[in-house]
Amino acid sequence: MIRVSDISYSYMPGREVLHGVTTSFPENKVTTIIGPNGCGKSTLLKICADILTPSSGSVTLDDVDIRTFKPKELARKIAILSQKELALDETVYELVSYGRYPHQRYGAGLSPLDKERIESAMETTHVAEFRNRMLSQLSGGQRQRVYIAMAIAQDTGIILLDEPTTYMDISVRFEIMELVRSLQQSGKTIVMVLHDIDLALDYSDHILVMKDGNLVLEGTSEDIIASRKIDEVFNVRMSILDHDERQIYHFDKR
Amino acid sequence: MLKKELHLNRRLVIIILAGLVILAALLGVCLGAVNVSPLDFIDALIHGETGRMAYRIVMHVRLPRVLGGLLAGGALAVSGCILQSLLQNPLASPNVIGVNGGAGICVLICASFFPAAVSMYPMAAFLGALLTAILVYLISMGSRSSKVTLILTGIAISSITGAGMNFILTVNPDAYVGASDFLIGGLSGLTMKSLRFVWIYILVGLIGAFMLRRELNLIRLGQDTAKSLGLNVPVIRFLLLVFAALLAGAAISFAGMIGFVGLIIPHAMRFIIGHDNIYLVPASALAGSAFVVLCDLVSRTAFSPYELPVGILLAFIGGPFFIYLVVRYRKANRD
């Protein structure tokens, strides 16, 4: 389990973006971090993957400080998919195969196990049919599935996803969320940053709500809805409508 | 972004390129103002007739020149390949970002202060290239500058180092024998002695680049992704800069300010075999070697009895190619 203890972070002196955040991400669950722009969600995610080093506090994985792991060792435990679009000149197969790097010995090529994992990741994300296409030839949704396939090929217990649905069509958003759910059901721990509050409430087992670098609330979707904190944090008025035995979330400006 | 890249069978392409290198070397050795039959040369070599014309032309004029072309071409192409991935900038190449200029000015400084230390030229060139590469890299990272800013910085560095080289040659015209060839880039006058040490630098650089081909692929994805895949980014980045500088510096130290090989060749190879550095690095090394030897052959035979330094021909080819790339990527970014 990942535990975050009293994490603070500044991109430049005197401008702290995270103020002593403490939390943990339950194993084999989907945890989603939500909050307004600039509240420190992505920063927290990057710190959990040791991409950024906190100015104070620590992140532990199964009670071991993640900074004590060697780079490849950590990459075999935690995969992170960043918000930034990756190189578009690669073919789908090439990009997914990079996910096997932490498992490869220095100078060695792809082993039969590596190839099996790459095929399996492409099958899971339904991108196998595009294997020889360049990413520039795919739609935004297809690309996002390829990036997720790379993270799956990394074969880690924990996958961190930074805004996997941003700029996606509504149908693609659902597709990505279903994929996330299936990954969790296959035994992965998922932590993601989302902008869509409704998707977060529908697809998460555990939600963290952040504002101005602080963790203001965490709990299940029901806990978050009951607290009415969404209204205050996002400066909106959330109403819940019942439709076909489902809840539909509606947001108005306050 | 080009969408109609060929992606031919990559191993086959590398084998064909290896054949092309052998063919280019043979043509380079045999053709010129006086054509030499390979059989005539081999016969002279077997019988130890060192006075025979064929032997003298090949051993003292053509062979050093061809070997120099092979070394410089391979080194500059691989250096360009590394820099383009490292800086995530398709327009980067040792001459465009000023690395060649840094190497060149250090060679001339070394030649001015230590005229007898010819064997030190590659080391001086390497240090100049490395310092410039680190400077350009810090500018590209530190200020999160755009791809165009990086190129403009490189052009500014090239201008400064160019002015510096001209200054040195103005105040000390005898600093470097064949200075005009050096400033343009040329292989005439090369001897086996002038290649005596430099091949070691190039071999180390090529082996280093070859060993880090997989890491070069990850670096292309950006620092965060490379780190999340388990790459020790600062160490690998520094090593790649060292190898790129070693290759460009060593080539400049004996071939002068040869430009554009590091731009043209990696792009041409990407078009044919794709972007995977596992294949791109060896393909660029081979294609760069063959390209420079063939260009040198053209530049010394096409305008006979005059001989052009190969750097002029490369600039005539490379300049328009650079403009084409600028237009192509500007259009791609707009789209």
Side-chain angles (χ1 to χ4, degrees):
Chain A
M1 180 189 275
I2 296 188
R3 283 184 202 282
V4 173
S5 309
D6 200 22
I7 287 287
S8 296
Y9 186 82
S10 309
Y11 281 100
M12 54 184 78
R15 293 186 64 181
E16 203 172 74
V17 291
L18 285 178
H19 317 293
V21 174
T22 297
T23 186
S24 60
F25 306 128
E27 265 180 71
N28 193 15
K29 301 280 182 201
V30 175
T31 299
T32 304
I33 310 171
I34 58 173
N37 286 339
C39 70
K41 309 181 292 286
S42 297
T43 305
L44 179 61
L45 210 63
K46 284 181 181 174
I47 288 171
C48 291
D50 197 28
I51 286 174
L52 296 177
T53 305
S55 39
S56 65
S58 66
V59 178
T60 58
L61 174 61
D62 298 333
D63 299 324
V64 180
D65 192 320
I66 59 165
R67 299 198 65 203
T68 61
F69 293 117
K70 289 178 180 164
K72 273 194 170 185
E73 198 182 354
L74 184 63
R76 287 194 293 267
K77 296 176 186 295
I78 301 175
I80 181 168
L81 190 63
S82 72
Q83 215 179 105
K84 200 177 147 193
E85 203 160 53
L86 304 175
L88 299 178
D89 305 318
E90 323 285 328
T91 64
V92 169
Y93 189 89
E94 281 166 1
L95 194 82
V96 178
S97 73
Y98 297 159
R100 296 303 297 167
Y101 180 75
H103 300 271
Q104 288 178 286
R105 278 183 303 150
Y106 184 76
L110 292 171
S111 68
L113 178 67
D114 291 329
K115 289 177 184 168
E116 190 188 310
R117 293 282 195 267
I118 293 164
E119 290 298 329
S120 163
M122 290 195 301
E123 292 294 335
T124 305
T125 51
H126 308 294
V127 295
E129 59 184 298
F130 314 127
R131 66 176 65 231
N132 293 322
R133 284 206 215 159
M134 284 160 71
L135 268 81
S136 58
Q137 296 169 313
L138 303 182
S139 69
Q142 289 167 337
R143 272 181 218 163
Q144 194 65 317
R145 283 192 275 141
V146 175
Y147 299 148
I148 294 175
M150 186 175 84
I152 295 172
Q154 211 171 321
D155 202 15
T156 58
I158 299 162
I159 299 179
L160 313 180
L161 302 168
D162 195 358
E163 299 189 21
T165 59
T166 305
Y167 308 124
M168 299 292 153
D169 293 340
I170 188 74
S171 62
V172 178
R173 292 181 193 197
F174 287 123
E175 208 177 282
I176 302 282
M177 284 299 106
E178 291 299 334
L179 181 57
V180 165
R181 177 55 73 195
S182 72
L183 288 174
Q184 176 267 325
Q185 284 166 352
S186 70
K188 308 275 187 197
T189 300
I190 309 286
V191 183
M192 59 184 171
V193 166
L194 279 185
H195 265 300
D196 303 281
I197 304 167
D198 45 351
L199 285 182
L201 292 170
D202 274 345
Y203 285 92
S204 311
D205 302 308
H206 186 71
I207 297 177
L208 309 185
V209 183
M210 291 183 67
K211 188 181 182 188
D212 299 332
N214 295 299
L215 180 61
V216 292
L217 180 69
E218 62 180 305
T220 61
S221 300
E222 291 75 24
D223 297 336
I224 303 298
I225 291 166
S227 73
R228 307 300 301 176
K229 275 279 184 190
I230 296 277
D231 295 17
E232 182 193 319
V233 169
F234 289 92
N235 198 25
V236 292
R237 188 182 300 120
M238 183 171 85
S239 35
I240 301 167
L241 312 168
D242 287 318
H243 176 73
D244 273 354
E245 297 176 3
R246 276 195 71 228
Q247 289 187 321
I248 297 172
Y249 310 104
H250 179 75
F251 301 94
D252 280 317
K253 198 174 174 188
R254 273 219 294 202
Chain B
M1 223 70 54
L2 266 181
K3 290 184 180 173
K4 289 178 188 166
E5 297 182 23
L6 301 177
H7 287 224
L8 299 175
N9 183 322
R10 297 182 283 197
R11 287 194 178 89
L12 182 65
V13 169
I14 289 174
I15 292 167
I16 292 170
L17 287 171
L20 186 65
V21 169
I22 295 167
L23 180 68
L26 272 176
L27 291 173
V29 166
C30 297
L31 301 183
V34 176
N35 290 342
V36 174
S37 151
L39 295 176
D40 196 15
F41 167 68
I42 292 167
D43 189 53
L45 197 65
I46 290 169
H47 294 99
E49 294 174 31
T50 54
R52 207 198 285 187
M53 174 83 91
Y55 183 91
R56 278 171 31 212
I57 289 175
V58 171
M59 292 305 284
H60 299 303
V61 181
R62 303 255 175 91
L63 194 58
R65 196 165 176 152
V66 166
L67 287 176
L70 293 174
L71 288 170
L76 289 169
V78 173
S79 181
C81 206
I82 294 173
L83 291 172
Q84 282 156 24
S85 290
L86 196 58
L87 300 170
Q88 294 173 268
N89 191 328
L91 301 174
S93 79
N95 69 313
V96 173
I97 65 166
V99 171
N100 284 5
I105 196 164
C106 284
V107 169
L108 293 186
I109 290 170
C110 183
S112 296
F113 287 101
F114 310 102
V118 179
S119 61
M120 292 298 291
Y121 291 178
M123 179 53 77
F126 162 60
L127 291 176
L130 184 62
L131 286 175
T132 319
I134 289 173
L135 177 68
V136 170
Y137 188 76
L138 290 177
I139 290 169
S140 78
M141 293 295 107
S143 60
R144 296 184 180 193
S145 50
S146 70
K147 290 178 167 50
V148 176
T149 310
L150 179 71
I151 299 305
L152 293 176
T153 306
I155 290 169
I157 291 172
S158 295
S159 300
I160 295 164
T161 52
M165 284 188 274
N166 281 309
F167 173 77
I168 291 170
L169 293 172
T170 303
V171 297
N172 185 5
D174 300 326
Y176 194 94
V177 179
S180 63
D181 257 16
F182 182 83
L183 290 177
I184 299 165
L187 301 168
S188 66
L190 271 185
T191 60
M192 294 303 256
K193 199 178 165 187
S194 52
L195 300 174
R196 199 173 34 175
F197 297 107
V198 81
W199 69 270
I200 301 169
Y201 289 76
I202 292 177
L203 186 67
V204 171
L206 288 177
I207 291 173
F210 197 81
M211 304 277 280
L212 295 179
R213 291 172 299 164
R214 196 187 311 280
E215 285 70 16
L216 205 50
N217 277 339
L218 303 188
I219 286 277
R220 285 189 68 229
L221 303 178
Q223 179 171 319
D224 288 359
T225 304
K227 192 173 179 188
S228 74
L229 288 168
L231 197 71
N232 191 336
V233 176
V235 171
I236 295 296
R237 212 163 46 188
F238 181 71
L239 284 175
L240 286 168
L241 271 182
V242 167
F243 294 136
L246 201 58
L247 290 165
I252 297 305
S253 73
F254 70 89
M257 305 298 290
I258 282 186
F260 294 111
V261 181
L263 187 74
I264 298 168
I265 296 299
H267 277 284
M269 289 302 103
R270 278 191 198 101
F271 183 72
I272 295 170
I273 61 168
H275 294 252
D276 187 348
N277 283 294
I278 300 284
Y279 300 96
L280 189 61
V281 169
S284 295
L286 293 168
S289 293
F291 180 64
V292 170
V293 171
L294 290 174
C295 282
D296 186 51
L297 178 63
V298 171
S299 65
R300 67 187 160 85
T301 54
F303 307 99
S304 183
Y306 301 104
E307 191 177 298
L308 285 181
V310 68
I312 291 181
L313 182 62
L314 288 169
F316 276 136
I317 301 169
F321 186 75
F322 180 69
I323 293 168
Y324 159 74
L325 284 178
V326 170
V327 172
R328 194 181 93 175
Y329 282 96
R330 197 180 60 184
K331 186 169 177 287
N333 287 337
R334 202 169 49 225
D335 294 344

